[in-house]
Amino acid sequence: MFELPTLTVGQYSLVYNMLSFTIASMLAAFVFFIMAQSRVAPKYRISLMVSALVVGIAGYHYWRIFGSWEGAFELVNGAYEPSGEPFNDAYRYVDWLLTVPLLVVELVLVMALSRAKQGKLLTKLIIASAFMIALGYPGEIADDNVTRAIWGTASTVPFVYILVVLWGELGKAIESQPERPRVLLKNIRYLLIATWGFYPLAYMAPFAGLTGAGAEVVLQVGYSIADVAAKAGYGVMIYAIARAKTDADGWVKPEQVTGQEATA
Ligand code: RET
């Protein structure tokens, strides 16, 4: 990581509040995905379970990032100066290493493909996701832009591969879906491109001439917004797809069949 810059009270607080907001979002999403399971057919519940795992893992990491941010700065004469304690950026990469493969798993599971197809697709995508994150990390902690560019480019290769495979497979799966899930699966493709595309853009901030306090704030706020959209927002869309497929499959809650919920 580059040397930590001195921040104004406004810059420090913006990141502080953003991290706090992200923790709250992840915890709320965790509760939602657990509770929402009973509203979808059993075969889609695993997707919601994986969504809950993703936001649970992220909630923990954001808690740690928040603590690290607090410890890394101290208020001296009205400005936040580096305290000498490092700000640990590895939490983000460890978080992605775990959650990116799980996000792929959620999506593939909710498509409910044949077992053989699903297995092959998951293996390719999980391996590529791990490479993408692992190759990005040495660039993230490098303090010169050449090293950053080299690792960033290496990480872009599996990134593009993932997008091409997912786009192609989603495209094929979409054709055989009933109407409502079809619209939602089309939308989730856009959400995926828009949110995942944001990470390499934030990574490139130093190349765009952003340095020091500005770059640090853009990176922290940018990654946090992207994480809320790519984990909690995306999980809600997975839930919507699971609900639509549940309806299309004609599944109803067992209590509704026996009429126990008729007055509810
Ligand atoms: C890095 C390094 C620069 C090149 C590329 C990157 C891609 C990162 C991505 C991260 C996605 C993270 C998600 C997290 C949500 O849980 C590593 C920044 C291509 C795509 C979706």
Side-chain angles (χ1 to χ4, degrees), residues 54 93 95-96 99-100 103 132-133 135-137 140 151-153 155-156 159 195-197 199-200 203 223 226-227 230-231:
V54 166
Y93 275 75
D95 180 74
W96 295 345
T99 57
V100 173
L103 290 171
M132 175 180 82
I133 305 302
L135 291 171
Y137 186 61
E140 187 76 81
W151 289 105
T153 310
S155 163
T156 304
F159 175 63
T195 54
W196 289 41
Y199 296 87
Y203 177 95
Y223 280 154
D227 269 357
K231 293 175 163 104

Side-chain angles (χ1 to χ4, degrees), residues 107 167 170-171 173-175 177-193 237 241:
L107 182 58
W167 198 265
L170 269 175
I174 285 168
E175 295 316 317
Q177 302 284 329
E179 193 177 330
R180 179 79 187 130
R182 197 184 315 148
V183 173
L184 293 168
L185 276 165
K186 276 190 182 157
N187 291 345
I188 207 169
R189 290 211 290 194
Y190 295 117
L191 180 73
L192 200 126
I193 299 276
M237 279 202 77
I241 295 170

Side-chain angles (χ1 to χ4, degrees), residues 13-235:
S13 305
L14 180 62
V15 175
Y16 183 95
N17 291 329
M18 197 59 221
L19 295 174
S20 170
F21 163 82
T22 307
I23 297 171
S25 309
M26 296 298 177
L27 293 182
F30 179 80
V31 175
F32 176 78
F33 296 138
I34 298 282
M35 308 272 292
Q37 289 195 49
S38 64
R39 300 174 60 90
V40 303
K43 69 172 167 182
Y44 303 117
R45 287 187 189 158
I46 180 82
S47 272
L48 297 198
M49 195 64 229
V50 178
S51 297
L53 283 181
V54 166
V55 290
I57 293 169
Y60 161 76
H61 281 120
Y62 269 91
W63 184 255
R64 303 304 301 250
I65 294 172
F66 185 75
S68 182
W69 182 257
E70 273 187 306
F73 295 93
E74 59 190 2
L75 189 58
V76 180
N77 298 330
Y80 277 94
E81 289 185 358
S83 67
E85 257 182 67
F87 174 60
N88 189 354
D89 240 353
Y91 288 131
R92 277 194 193 285
Y93 275 75
V94 174
D95 180 74
W96 295 345
L97 199 56
L98 293 167
T99 57
V100 173
L102 289 174
L103 290 171
V104 168
V105 169
E106 269 175 54
L107 182 58
V108 173
L109 289 179
V110 88
M111 289 197 270
L113 304 171
S114 72
R115 274 198 110 73
K117 239 185 165 175
Q118 181 171 297
K120 266 198 225 147
L121 193 58
L122 281 178
T123 314
K124 287 194 270 191
L125 291 171
I126 290 173
I127 294 176
S129 319
F131 269 106
M132 175 180 82
I133 305 302
L135 291 171
Y137 186 61
E140 187 76 81
I141 55 168
D143 40 26
D144 69 295
N145 276 354
V146 176
T147 315
R148 195 175 179 87
I150 293 171
W151 289 105
T153 310
S155 163
T156 304
V157 176
F159 175 63
V160 171
Y161 173 79
I162 296 170
L163 293 186
V164 170
V165 171
L166 265 184
W167 198 265
E169 288 305 321
L170 269 175
K172 274 188 258 162
I174 285 168
E175 295 316 317
S176 57
Q177 302 284 329
E179 193 177 330
R180 179 79 187 130
R182 197 184 315 148
V183 173
L184 293 168
L185 276 165
K186 276 190 182 157
N187 291 345
I188 207 169
R189 290 211 290 194
Y190 295 117
L191 180 73
L192 200 126
I193 299 276
T195 54
W196 289 41
F198 197 82
Y199 296 87
L201 284 181
Y203 177 95
M204 287 194 292
F207 302 124
L210 262 177
T211 52
E216 189 61 48
V217 172
V218 167
L219 217 67
Q220 296 308 326
V221 172
Y223 280 154
S224 303
I225 295 173
D227 269 357
V228 172
K231 293 175 163 104
Y234 175 89

